[in-house]
Amino acid sequence: MHFLSEDLEDYVALHSQKEPELLAQLNKETYQKILLPRMLSGHFQGRVLSMLSKLIRPKNILEIGTYTGYATLCLCEGMQENGIVHTIDIKEELVDFQRKYFDQSPWGNQIVQHLGEAIAIIPTLEATFDLVFIDADKENYLNYYELIVPRMNKGGIILSDNVLWSGKVVEPLKEGDVSTQVLLEYNKRINEDSRVETVLLPIRDGLTVSRVL
């Protein structure tokens, strides 16, 4: 996922807003105790998510793929005072870890955790959304997108993570690589869909910003 040199990545981080202390603690404990810590959004991408949320000022946020809750808290930073975040994950063993950090933040009462398959949970949510962050299993990105678009408020933003997939999107497709195949189809779909306008940012492993028209 390193498309820039480490020196440049360090420079970018040093010249971006400092990582909040609670998120630094979450980051550290994730690397100490949780499998696949590279899934964490981390300092720089977290500050990007925070800035986008502050620009959007969302009331209702949906996150697909909570992991340890780092990105969740970044998205909360721009949420309206009475806003709600619905965050979905399938890993039961992470629920208490997430909640520990959520409750240490100013937004603990505004974060609703959902445990289970997002495809089943999304249709049960009554809210419409101003901001959605897709960062779960890549094989279902197209399914998530089609479930989400009709539930978006006009002008709402859909963020899609890992859309460069460690550079695999520009390499020959290997037989049986379903994740890359779906991401190739997904990137094409959201760029051509007349319901949204899209820009793909080469941030970390690729972050797409799609604005609902």
Side-chain angles (χ1 to χ4, degrees):
M1 292 194 296
H2 295 280
F3 300 115
L4 296 176
S5 69
E6 288 190 18
D7 287 344
L8 276 175
E9 287 190 345
D10 290 343
Y11 184 88
V12 167
L14 284 171
H15 291 82
S16 299
Q17 186 184 41
K18 185 179 179 181
E19 184 179 38
E21 181 58 33
L22 180 63
L23 291 177
Q25 293 173 15
L26 194 165
N27 192 333
K28 182 178 180 180
E29 188 171 0
T30 297
Y31 272 84
Q32 288 174 337
K33 299 180 179 179
I34 308 298
L35 292 174
L36 302 175
R38 69 192 293 268
M39 291 172 58
L40 194 83
S41 289
H43 174 199
F44 173 62
Q45 184 172 345
R47 292 306 86 206
V48 172
L49 295 176
S50 170
M51 181 66 77
L52 289 171
S53 183
K54 288 169 181 172
L55 292 170
I56 297 162
R57 294 293 294 152
K59 182 175 182 180
N60 292 318
I61 300 173
L62 172 63
E63 180 183 39
I64 305 173
T66 316
Y67 189 49
T68 56
Y70 190 102
T72 320
L73 293 174
C74 294
L75 296 171
C76 284
E77 292 180 29
M79 182 170 58
Q80 293 182 28
E81 186 176 347
N82 60 342
I84 294 291
V85 177
H86 293 273
T87 184
I88 305 171
D89 205 282
I90 61 170
K91 296 184 184 295
E92 185 175 2
E93 65 272 19
L94 294 179
V95 170
D96 291 341
F97 186 102
Q98 298 159 6
R99 179 48 59 185
K100 179 177 71 171
Y101 282 95
F102 292 163
D103 286 345
Q104 291 181 62
S105 79
W107 309 285
N109 293 333
Q110 297 167 264
I111 301 173
V112 182
Q113 294 166 281
H114 299 271
L115 179 63
E117 298 286 347
I119 286 178
I121 291 170
I122 293 169
T124 70
L125 303 176
E126 296 182 1
T128 55
F129 298 99
D130 307 300
L131 177 59
V132 173
F133 184 40
I134 305 175
D135 187 19
D137 56 313
K138 312 313 161 191
E139 292 88 346
N140 271 310
Y141 266 37
L142 286 164
N143 296 325
Y144 297 147
Y145 178 74
E146 293 301 335
L147 282 173
I148 288 165
V149 172
R151 307 178 70 92
M152 296 295 297
N153 295 321
K154 185 175 180 179
I157 299 295
I158 301 170
L159 304 175
S160 310
D161 200 15
N162 303 116
V163 290
L164 294 180
W165 206 223
S166 299
K168 292 179 183 179
V169 291
V170 293
E171 297 172 356
L173 182 63
K174 295 181 180 179
E175 185 176 352
D177 186 353
V178 177
S179 294
T180 303
Q181 182 177 351
V182 170
L183 282 172
L184 289 168
E185 295 174 13
Y186 180 77
N187 291 339
K188 185 174 187 292
R189 172 84 59 85
I190 61 176
N191 191 44
E192 296 176 351
D193 191 342
S194 61
R195 297 173 294 178
V196 300
E197 56 182 351
T198 290
V199 60
L200 197 165
L201 305 176
I203 291 172
R204 201 162 175 255
D205 196 28
L207 180 70
T208 296
V209 181
S210 302
R211 176 177 175 268
V212 178
L213 302 175

